[in-house]
């Protein structure tokens, strides 16, 4: 008669760490515990805190094994590397050791439950070195239960150890915290989770795309248990390949209701360009594909955050990023100032919170994005303060009190910069030094008139710079501008003109008789910058 098949165990239970080497992302805690065990400096109570699924209860069980392990020969002592073969290790791993008591404080909250523990700690362990009490979600104990536990917790018998776990350490009384050695278990980095999931799918005989595992790791938000649960669902959702399921990134996005990065980048580009019709169409297209409005807004927030980090000089490149994504981040970081990025973040974050509680999520998402788009031309607080202190820039007239302001397009051109160079100076006077520098270095002028500019762009500037310049000019001059990108004949950039002028001056200096004679006498001599400057001043 054949053996009956073993019941299926979910991945979150099957791949619980069996020793400290399998506990991922908590190296500092493992090192501290190892040193304490080797030096015989063991606390009588430990408190593990952290978000869900980072290994609090698993760590408590591993500590119980480490303290009670006797080794394969039965002669060993406490160790950070429990053997897993002796009877105490096996019994603790299977949850049947009589001296290791686990209690869920969520269902045993009263003082009577704690009183049972207080009565039992007086008796020595039956077969183990230490009698251990593991209390999960300890913050759920009542105030009276905590008070009843305090004396025993402060002076327990030498054969007793308390191991507490909680997700809300702020709800644990300070009097209890002060009697415990505390370990804060950290969120597990997404890269480490993805590597762990790679080992899991290999062990399960499942094929999975690297991007799919990266998406699952990001969705887990630092929780190994949540990630394994999502991976379990993804394997069930996957189509069968040649004898084994194949987990793809597209299937994971569909399962989790996520938008792909390319779609989010296109959406942010439309948002910055101010193309209302295309923006609303793109949002509806993503919604039709099953992308949740909240996930869409979260993707935009993550992208704006990445652009801000890129602008701050932080290297955020990763193997999962495409070349297109890295180029887009660099271009946006070069074109958008910190103030607009912070404003964009705040507006998107407000929209995210509104969608989370909205009765009509997709409509709320559309309205939030339209608000972001139309707020792009609003002056920041610094600009408002400047206007109140100095008046409008470039001679623009402030409307009289109680009189509606005239449309910016109706302002006389005489009050606006008459030349391209004056426009750059106006931007600098208005505090837009970065944009002014980008214009000097990367803009080739085709034509200029007040409120109308036609130009070519030099990398790294992209077409989005036109909207950025329109917004900056509107804030500085209080007039509406039209900036167009053209492929027609254009003048060199101001930087190129300056370099050409310096090259011509250098060539002219080298052709003078004195310099030619000096260069002939000293063939390896070079023309210094000081001589060029002196000659130019002459």
């Amino acid at each position: 008669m054949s053996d009956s098949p073993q019941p299926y165990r979910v991945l979150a239970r099957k791949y619980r760490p069996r020793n400290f080497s399998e506990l991922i992302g908590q190296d500092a805690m493992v090192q501290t515990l190892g040193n304490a065990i080797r030096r015989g400096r063991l606390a009588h109570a430990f408190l593990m805190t952290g978000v869900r699924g980072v290994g609090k209860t698993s760590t408590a069980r591993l500590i119980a094994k480490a303290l009670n392990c006797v080794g394969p020969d039965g002669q060993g002592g406490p160790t950070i590397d429990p053997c897993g073969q002796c009877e105490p290790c096996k019994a603790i791993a299977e949850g049947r050791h009589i001296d290791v008591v686990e209690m869920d404080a969520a269902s045993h909250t009263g003082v009577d439950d704690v009183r049972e523990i207080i009565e039992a700690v007086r008796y020595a362990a039956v077969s183990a070195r230490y009698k251990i009490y593991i209390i999960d979600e300890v913050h759920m104990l009542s105030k009276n239960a905590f008070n009843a536990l305090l004396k025993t917790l402060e002076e327990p018998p030498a054969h007793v150890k308390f191991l507490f776990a909680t997700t809300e350490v702020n709800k644990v009384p300070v009097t209890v915290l002060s009697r415990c050695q505390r370990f804060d278990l950290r969120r597990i980095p997404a890269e480490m989770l993805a590597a762990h999931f790679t080992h899991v799918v290999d062990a399960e005989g499942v094929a999975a795309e690297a991007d799919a595992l990266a998406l699952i790791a990001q969705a887990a938000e630092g929780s190994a248990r949540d990630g394994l649960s999502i991976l379990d669902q993804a394997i069930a959702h996957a189509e069968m390949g040649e004898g084994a399921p194949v987990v793809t990134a597209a299937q994971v996005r569909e399962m989790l209701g996520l938008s792909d990065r390319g779609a989010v980048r296109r959406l942010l580009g439309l948002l910055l360009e101010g193309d209302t019709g295309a923006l609303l169409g793109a949002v509806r297209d993503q919604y039709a594909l099953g992308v949740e409005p909240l996930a869409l807004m979260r993707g935009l927030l993550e992208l704006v955050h990445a652009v801000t980090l890129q602008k701050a000089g932080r290297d955020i490149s990763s193997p999962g990023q495409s070349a297109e994504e890295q180029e887009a981040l660099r271009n946006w970081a070069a074109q958008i100032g910190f103030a607009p990025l912070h404003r964009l973040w705040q507006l998107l974050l407000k929209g995210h919170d509104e969608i989370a509680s909205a009765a009509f999520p997709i409509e709320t998402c559309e309205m939030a994005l339209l608000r972001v788009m139309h707020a792009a031309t609003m002056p920041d607080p610094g600009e408002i303060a400047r206007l109140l202190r100095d008046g409008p820039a470039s001679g623009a007239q402030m409307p009289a009190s109680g009189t509606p302001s005239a449309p910016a397009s109706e302002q006389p051109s005489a009050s606006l910069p008459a030349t391209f160079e004056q426009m750059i100076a106006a931007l600098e006077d208005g505090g837009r030094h970065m944009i002014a520098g980008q214009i000097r270095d990367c803009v080739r002028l085709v034509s200029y008139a007040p409120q109308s500019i036609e130009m070519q762009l030099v990398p790294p500037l992209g077409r989005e710079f036109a909207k950025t310049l329109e917004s900056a000019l509107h804030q500085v001059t209080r007039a509406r501008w039209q900036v167009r990108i053209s492929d027609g004949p254009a003048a060199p950039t101001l930087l190129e003109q300056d370099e050409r002028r310096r090259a011509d001056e250098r060539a002219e200096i080298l052709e003078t008789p004195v310099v030619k004679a000096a260069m002939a006498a000293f063939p390896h001599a070079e023309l210094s910058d000081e001589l060029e400057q002196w000659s130019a001043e002459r």
Side-chain angles (χ1 to χ4, degrees):
M1 182 176 178
S2 62
D3 295 336
S4 59
Q6 294 293 323
Y8 175 71
R9 295 178 66 199
V10 296
L11 298 181
R13 292 188 59 192
K14 185 176 181 180
Y15 290 95
R16 265 184 169 167
R18 293 164 295 182
N19 50 60
F20 282 105
S21 63
E22 295 180 1
L23 186 66
I24 61 175
Q26 312 299 341
D27 296 341
M29 183 202 66
V30 173
Q31 181 179 353
T32 303
L33 276 174
N35 292 340
I37 291 174
R38 281 188 288 271
R39 298 167 186 170
R41 302 177 64 88
L42 291 170
H44 54 266
F46 298 89
L47 175 70
M48 272 69 67
T49 178
V51 298
R52 68 197 183 283
V54 293
K56 298 183 295 298
T57 307
S58 296
T59 299
R61 292 171 181 166
L62 291 177
I63 294 175
K65 290 170 64 174
L67 297 182
N68 284 324
C69 177
V70 297
D73 58 357
Q75 304 300 316
T79 174
I80 194 63
D81 297 310
C83 66
Q85 301 175 18
C86 63
E87 179 57 27
C89 284
K90 290 180 180 179
I92 293 172
E94 296 170 5
R96 56 179 175 81
H97 200 294
I98 192 172
D99 292 318
V100 178
V101 181
E102 289 193 35
M103 187 182 89
D104 177 22
S107 54
H108 299 80
T109 62
V111 67
D112 292 336
D113 300 302
V114 172
R115 189 174 291 118
E116 292 181 10
I117 296 176
I118 296 172
E119 293 294 329
V121 297
R122 295 185 298 173
Y123 304 102
V126 175
S127 61
R129 186 178 296 112
Y130 293 104
K131 179 179 285 189
I132 294 177
Y133 291 91
I134 300 175
I135 303 181
D136 198 14
E137 299 301 339
V138 68
H139 67 274
M140 299 291 288
L141 290 178
S142 66
K143 181 179 179 180
N144 290 336
F146 273 124
N147 290 335
L149 187 61
L150 281 179
K151 187 63 178 177
T152 303
L153 188 60
E154 185 171 19
E155 299 177 0
H159 61 271
V160 173
K161 301 290 182 185
F162 288 98
L163 305 178
F164 301 140
T166 178
T167 54
E168 300 184 51
V169 69
N170 58 301
K171 294 184 178 180
V172 179
V174 177
T175 50
V176 174
L177 292 177
S178 64
R179 290 165 168 83
C180 301
Q181 188 172 93
R182 173 175 167 176
F183 292 108
D184 290 272
L185 277 68
R186 307 299 182 185
R187 290 182 184 270
I188 305 171
E191 297 80 6
M192 194 174 291
L193 282 177
H196 179 56
F197 298 156
T198 300
H199 296 311
V200 171
V201 295
D202 289 344
E204 292 291 308
V206 176
E209 295 178 355
D211 286 349
L213 297 182
L215 286 172
I216 293 173
Q218 291 172 1
E221 297 182 342
S223 169
R225 184 176 62 230
D226 286 5
L228 288 171
S229 298
I230 297 172
L231 180 59
D232 227 340
Q233 182 182 356
I235 294 174
H237 184 267
E239 297 179 0
M240 295 295 292
E242 296 181 0
V246 180
V247 180
T248 66
Q251 291 169 337
V252 172
R253 288 192 188 98
E254 180 183 358
M255 182 185 77
L256 297 178
L258 301 176
S259 59
D260 65 273
R261 293 183 175 182
V264 174
R265 290 199 305 275
R266 290 190 294 273
L267 197 61
L268 182 59
L270 294 172
L271 194 63
L272 295 175
E273 291 173 7
D275 194 336
T276 305
L279 175 71
L280 295 179
V283 170
R284 285 291 175 171
D285 288 343
Q286 289 295 296
Y287 187 65
L289 291 173
V291 179
E292 293 297 327
L294 199 63
L296 199 63
M297 192 65 75
R298 180 167 183 168
L300 286 170
L301 281 165
E302 291 173 348
L303 189 55
V304 170
H305 179 249
V307 173
T308 307
L309 293 182
Q310 180 80 36
K311 189 170 187 65
R314 178 176 170 182
D315 183 14
I316 57 172
S317 58
S318 66
Q321 279 186 343
S322 64
E324 293 81 3
E325 182 174 357
Q326 293 177 6
E327 182 180 2
L329 291 177
R330 287 193 296 269
N331 288 339
W332 280 326
Q335 296 166 17
I336 309 175
F338 279 112
L341 283 171
H342 294 322
R343 185 189 308 170
L344 188 59
W345 170 267
Q346 292 295 335
L347 291 168
L348 289 173
L349 188 62
K350 179 176 175 59
H352 178 277
D353 294 343
E354 291 174 351
I355 294 170
S357 59
F360 306 101
I362 183 61
E363 289 82 359
T364 305
C365 179
E366 291 174 334
M367 295 300 292
L369 292 178
L370 289 175
R371 180 174 62 214
V372 173
M373 180 183 296
H374 293 296
T377 57
M378 290 174 57
D380 56 38
E383 178 68 12
I384 293 174
R386 188 192 67 78
L387 288 172
L388 292 174
R389 183 184 68 248
D390 303 330
S394 304
Q397 297 296 319
M398 289 287 287
S401 177
T403 304
S405 59
S409 58
E410 297 176 4
Q411 293 183 12
S413 60
S415 65
L416 299 173
T419 65
F420 186 56
E421 290 75 10
Q422 290 178 7
M423 181 203 76
I424 297 175
L427 287 170
E428 287 188 328
D429 292 340
R432 303 301 190 271
H433 301 285
M434 178 175 290
I435 295 178
Q438 291 171 330
I439 294 173
R440 285 196 180 91
D441 296 347
C442 302
V443 170
R444 292 173 177 162
L445 185 63
V446 176
S447 66
Y448 175 84
Q451 299 182 248
S452 178
I453 306 172
E454 191 171 351
M455 62 185 183
Q456 289 182 4
L457 298 178
V458 175
L461 292 186
R463 301 185 69 87
E464 299 86 358
F465 183 72
K467 293 296 181 184
T468 303
L469 180 55
E470 284 181 354
S471 175
L473 287 170
H474 171 67
Q475 293 178 15
V476 169
T477 67
R478 314 314 301 162
R480 296 289 181 182
W481 288 71
Q482 185 177 14
V483 180
R484 297 186 300 277
I485 308 299
S486 172
D487 296 328
T493 68
L494 295 180
L495 176 63
E496 292 170 339
Q497 294 178 29
D498 186 55
E499 291 174 345
R500 174 65 61 85
R501 183 168 53 254
R502 293 190 61 185
D504 292 343
E505 291 172 351
R506 182 182 180 87
E508 184 179 350
I509 294 171
L510 291 173
E511 288 300 319
T512 59
V514 175
V515 176
K516 289 181 70 173
M519 297 297 287
F522 303 97
H524 299 292
E526 295 182 355
L527 186 64
S528 69
D529 293 338
E530 288 79 4
L531 181 57
E532 288 186 60
Q533 182 177 359
W534 175 83
S535 179
E537 292 174 352
R538 300 266 303 175

